[in-house]
Amino acid sequence: MVGGRPRPLPGHPVPPVATELVAVRDLDLVDDDRWPQALALLAQPPLRDAITQQVRILLPDGTHEVVRPYTAWWLRGHPVLDGRRPAGLLAAGGDPLLRGLYDEADATGFDDEQVLRALGVRTSVAALLDEPGGAAELLDRLADPDREVTGAQLHALYSALADLDPEQVTLPDDLRAVVDGEVTVVDAADAVVVDSPDLLPFTTGVPLLPVRPSRAAELADLFQVRRLSESVTGEVTSEGTEHDVPDSVRVLLGPLTPATYVEHDELVVDGTEIDWRRSRDGVLHASTLEGVAAGLAWAAGQWPRRFEVAALLEDPSRTGSWPGTGGSTEPGRDLHDSRGNLLRVVQPFPFVTHLIVRADWLHDHFCNWGIHAHACHPRRRHRRPGPLGPRRTCRTGRRGPRGHHDLGVVVNGGKPVVVAATAKKTITVSFTVKDASGVGWAQAVLYHGADIDSSDTGAVANSSNNRATCTKVNATTSTCKSTFDLQSGENAFNFAAGSWKVWAIATGKDNDYVQKDNAKTFQVQRLSKLTADATPEPVKKGKTITVTGKLTRANWDAGTYSGYSTQPVKLQFRKKSSSTYTTVKTIKTSSNGSLKTTVKATVDGYFRYSFAGTSTTPAVNATGDLIDVK
C-alpha cells in the first residue's frame, strides 16, 4: 500500500484487486489475555469465513489467483494461540507422526480442523502435505538434528511422502536416515533406498531411508537418491539345482509367480552368504525354505504373503484351508526400528510392538508363543533329503473348525471400556474353548481398525507369553482369561475412541486350531466429566436462576481433560423432597464444552446436567446443586 492505495506489481501499472474481501478489523486491539475467547468467536459463523474463505485476486493480465484470507494471514503472524504464533505449531493431541518435529500448543475447544489449518496449526501429516510448501516444511524439520524422530515414525513419514508428485517437492540437501540402527541426519547424496529386500545383508554402514519395498521406487524418484540394487552387484557365485515351484504356491501367489527356482546348499552373493537372491535376469536363488518363500512372494508382487507361502511349501495339504488364495493382502510390511533393524510386521498384528520382531528372531518368537505358527521358520539350516532342504522345528496345526464352537468372548464384563486421561485401565477378556481332543492353548489380541490387517493400535495380553490362562471345565472344554492394559498415549489415542475388536485363536491338543479375526466387538471410550453450578443461592421465588457447567472428556493424546463441544446436554431438576429428576430443557455445549442457561425459581431442589453419551464418550450426570428458594 502506498498512501492507502494498492501498490502495483513491478512492471505493471495496474495493481492486483481483491474482487471480494471478508475480514475482521482491529484485531490488534484484543487484550493478550482474551485471545482464547476472541478465537472462539472468530471460529464461529459468520466471522469464520474471514479465516477460512479464500480470497480471489484479479491480476493485471486478467487472470485470477486464490490467496489466503487477510484475517488468517494476520493471525498466523501474531502470538494469539497459547501465547505463540500459531503458524508452525502442532495442536496438542494432533497426529503422533508429527510429534517431536513441532512444538505443541493447547488448542482446546477447537474441533474445527479447517480453522486450525487456516491459522497454520498442524493437525496431521495428510493435512500438512496438502498445504502449499508442506512437504518442504516437513523435510526441513526432518533435517533438523535437534528434533527427535523414531525409526517407525520416519518409516511412516517417508511412506506418506512417497505418494507425492516429485515435481512438487524441492530436493533437500539433507535427509533423516537410519545408519546401523541409529536415526541420524545425512547428506542426501549419501542416502540409499532399499528396493529389494534380498540385498539387506549388504547395508552395513549405509544410510537407509526406511520405506516399504513396494514404495521404494517412488521414494527414490522423489529424492533422486540411489537404490540399493544400483549400489550392489548382487552376483551369485555359488552353484545350485533348479526345482519347479509347486502348483499350490502358484495358485496362492497368482500369475506372476516364477515357474522355477534354484536351490543352493550355501547361497553366496558378492562373497556373502545370504538366504535368497533374485538375480537381474529374474532367476530366484535360495538356500532356505523361508528364502524360497520370500523370493517367490517378492517376484510375484505378493510380498505380504511370504509367511503363508512358507507354510504352504512345507505342507501343501494346507491349500484347501488357506485364507484368500490368489488375492492380495496388505498387512505384512517391512520397516526399521529405532535401531535400524529390519522389522517384519507379522500379520495379522501390524500395530503391536511386542509382535514386531527382528527377522533373525522370527522362529524363536513364533514357535515359543504359538502365534500364527505357520509363520515360524528357522534361520539356521536343518537339512533333510528333498528339494526344499530346510525344515521348521516347530509343528504347525491345521486351521479348521473341527470340534470348535463359538468362542463366546466377553470383554470387560460386557461393559464399555472407559479410559481416563492418565490412569491405566486394566480389563479382563474371557472366552470359552471347546475341542474334542481337549484344549491346548488360546490367545486374544485387542485392536482398533476396520480389520486386523489395517489396525492402527491395540493391546496384547499381560502374560509373559501373551497367551490366556485356561481353566479346564471338562475333557473338551476350558474357560480362558487374559488381562489387557489400555493407557493414554501408549495404545489409547483420541482417534481410536469407539469400536474395537478382538482377534482370537484357540488350539486343540491335536494341533487343530480355530482363528477368528473379529471374535467380538466392544467400545473403548474417553472418560467424561460433567459439572453443574446453580446461582444465586438463596434466590427469591420467580427470580432467574443461572445454571452453568462444563462437559469434558479425556484427551488421551495430551493426558488432560478437554471440553466436548456442540453436544446436547439436558438440564434436569428434582424437588428437595423427591428422588427423581425430570428434564427441564436441552442445550448444547459451547466450543470449549461450557454450559449456561437460565430458569425461573419455583421450589427448593437440585439442578444438574445430564449427558446421554456417544459411541466414543460415556454418559455422565453432574452432581446436583441445591437451590434454596425463599
Side-chain angles (χ1 to χ4, degrees):
M1 299 287 286
V2 178
R5 298 179 181 178
R7 176 183 296 170
L9 295 173
H12 295 278
V14 181
V17 177
T19 55
E20 182 177 343
L21 178 65
V22 178
V24 179
R25 54 182 278 181
D26 298 331
L27 290 174
D28 55 326
L29 300 180
V30 175
D31 187 282
D32 291 343
D33 295 332
R34 303 291 290 177
W35 270 113
Q37 293 83 357
L39 290 176
L41 291 173
L42 290 169
Q44 301 297 322
L47 299 180
R48 181 178 181 277
D49 287 347
I51 300 177
T52 61
Q53 185 172 297
Q54 300 291 298
V55 178
R56 195 169 186 229
I57 301 294
L58 176 62
L59 299 178
D61 62 1
T63 61
H64 289 82
E65 290 286 348
V66 175
V67 299
R68 182 178 298 124
Y70 166 81
T71 304
W73 168 83
W74 192 95
L75 291 169
R76 279 174 171 240
H78 290 78
V80 300
L81 183 64
D82 203 19
R84 291 174 286 175
R85 296 179 180 181
L89 294 176
L90 174 64
D95 195 332
L97 292 179
L98 295 178
R99 288 181 182 169
L101 294 172
Y102 290 85
D103 296 330
E104 297 192 24
D106 184 7
T108 300
F110 290 93
D111 293 329
D112 193 329
E113 183 173 342
Q114 190 175 358
V115 171
L116 289 173
R117 291 178 62 179
L119 295 180
V121 178
R122 302 311 179 197
T123 57
S124 68
V125 173
L128 172 61
L129 296 182
D130 194 45
E131 288 265 338
E137 178 181 310
L138 176 58
L139 290 171
D140 283 345
R141 290 176 180 266
L142 283 173
D144 183 351
D146 293 330
R147 298 186 180 274
E148 294 186 4
V149 182
T150 67
Q153 184 181 4
L154 188 61
H155 176 273
L157 291 172
Y158 279 148
S159 295
L161 284 163
D163 291 330
L164 299 181
D165 182 352
E167 296 297 326
Q168 299 176 351
V169 178
T170 302
L171 293 178
D173 293 326
D174 299 306
L175 286 168
R176 189 78 65 127
V178 179
V179 183
D180 294 337
E182 296 294 329
V183 179
T184 186
V185 176
V186 302
D187 190 314
D190 297 328
V192 173
V193 172
V194 179
D195 59 334
S196 186
D198 54 344
L199 298 178
L200 279 166
F202 300 96
T203 58
T204 301
V206 178
L208 302 178
L209 305 185
V211 69
R212 293 199 310 273
S214 61
R215 307 298 295 154
E218 288 80 3
L219 192 67
D221 290 342
L222 181 73
F223 294 142
Q224 295 185 17
V225 298
R226 293 174 299 153
R227 305 180 191 191
L228 186 60
S229 61
E230 299 169 344
S231 306
V232 177
T233 304
E235 181 181 355
V236 177
T237 57
S238 55
E239 298 292 331
T241 304
E242 186 176 70
H243 297 283
D244 292 332
V245 174
D247 290 340
S248 57
V249 174
R250 301 180 68 179
V251 170
L252 176 68
L253 293 180
L256 297 180
T257 309
T260 62
Y261 66 93
V262 177
E263 183 190 10
H264 296 247
D265 286 338
E266 292 183 351
L267 175 59
V268 180
V269 176
D270 288 353
T272 300
E273 185 180 351
I274 64 176
D275 280 353
W276 67 283
R277 168 67 176 148
R278 191 186 184 207
S279 58
R280 298 185 189 277
D281 57 5
V283 177
L284 172 61
H285 301 262
S287 61
T288 61
L289 183 144
E290 72 272 14
V292 176
L296 291 174
W298 179 251
Q302 298 275 12
W303 182 243
R305 309 205 79 158
R306 57 199 182 277
F307 302 113
E308 298 172 48
V309 177
L312 194 55
L313 286 172
E314 184 186 36
D315 183 2
S317 67
R318 290 191 177 92
T319 305
S321 62
W322 211 257
T325 56
S328 175
T329 58
E330 183 61 20
R333 57 193 65 175
D334 279 358
L335 64 155
H336 292 78
D337 66 12
S338 60
R339 295 176 298 278
N341 298 299
L342 170 65
L343 299 179
R344 290 177 180 172
V345 183
V346 184
Q347 62 180 10
F349 309 116
F351 59 83
V352 185
T353 303
H354 297 72
L355 301 183
I356 299 180
V357 297
R358 295 189 193 181
D360 290 324
W361 299 341
L362 279 172
H363 174 264
D364 291 339
H365 280 255
F366 275 71
C367 287
N368 292 337
W369 290 353
I371 302 168
H372 259 228
H374 60 265
C376 66
H377 53 266
R379 296 289 295 174
R380 304 294 180 265
R381 293 168 175 76
H382 303 287
R383 300 188 175 279
R384 70 180 185 186
L388 293 181
R391 294 292 153 181
R392 299 177 183 80
T393 57
C394 67
R395 183 182 177 187
T396 58
R398 297 179 302 278
R399 180 178 180 177
R402 187 175 71 83
H404 292 283
H405 299 269
D406 183 83
L407 295 176
V409 176
V410 177
V411 179
N412 198 37
K415 300 177 182 179
V417 179
V418 180
V419 182
T422 56
K424 177 172 64 179
K425 178 73 173 182
T426 300
I427 63 171
T428 299
V429 175
S430 61
F431 46 104
T432 301
V433 183
K434 298 181 180 181
D435 189 85
S437 68
V439 175
W441 55 267
Q443 182 176 21
V445 174
L446 313 183
Y447 69 95
H448 172 266
D451 52 58
I452 191 72
D453 296 339
S454 59
S455 54
D456 42 37
T457 187
V460 294
N462 292 330
S463 58
S464 59
N465 62 1
N466 304 121
R467 293 183 184 176
T469 299
C470 294
T471 303
K472 185 176 179 180
V473 176
N474 54 46
T476 61
T477 305
S478 292
T479 300
C480 302
K481 293 184 179 181
S482 290
T483 61
F484 297 81
D485 290 338
L486 274 74
Q487 175 89 51
S488 64
E490 294 186 6
N491 57 0
F493 305 99
N494 291 346
F495 71 81
S499 180
W500 283 44
K501 301 180 181 71
V502 179
W503 180 95
I505 186 171
T507 71
K509 290 185 176 180
D510 58 357
N511 282 336
D512 278 354
Y513 69 91
V514 63
Q515 174 191 317
K516 292 182 178 292
D517 292 344
N518 184 7
K520 185 70 175 180
T521 300
F522 63 101
Q523 297 299 117
V524 177
Q525 298 178 321
R526 299 162 62 176
L527 178 64
S528 54
K529 296 182 179 182
L530 185 58
T531 62
D533 182 25
T535 58
E537 299 179 58
V539 62
K540 291 184 179 180
K541 185 175 182 179
K543 294 296 183 178
T544 299
I545 298 173
T546 301
V547 186
T548 58
K550 190 168 186 177
L551 174 63
T552 60
R553 59 176 178 167
N555 183 334
W556 293 332
D557 296 344
T560 60
Y561 286 86
S562 302
Y564 198 8
S565 64
T566 63
Q567 296 301 308
V569 177
K570 295 178 180 178
L571 175 66
Q572 296 182 329
F573 177 77
R574 72 173 175 89
K575 293 180 180 180
K576 190 175 182 180
S577 59
S578 173
S579 61
T580 303
Y581 278 95
T582 58
T583 298
V584 178
K585 63 172 72 173
T586 299
I587 63 174
K588 284 193 173 183
T589 58
S590 69
S591 60
N592 66 355
S594 296
L595 294 158
K596 184 177 181 180
T597 190
T598 59
V599 292
K600 295 296 182 181
T602 55
V603 297
D604 292 353
Y606 295 85
F607 283 98
R608 75 174 186 185
Y609 283 115
S610 178
F611 174 58
T614 63
S615 61
T616 62
T617 309
V620 62
N621 293 319
T623 301
D625 190 22
L626 176 64
I627 284 289
D628 181 15
V629 179
K630 300 295 185 182

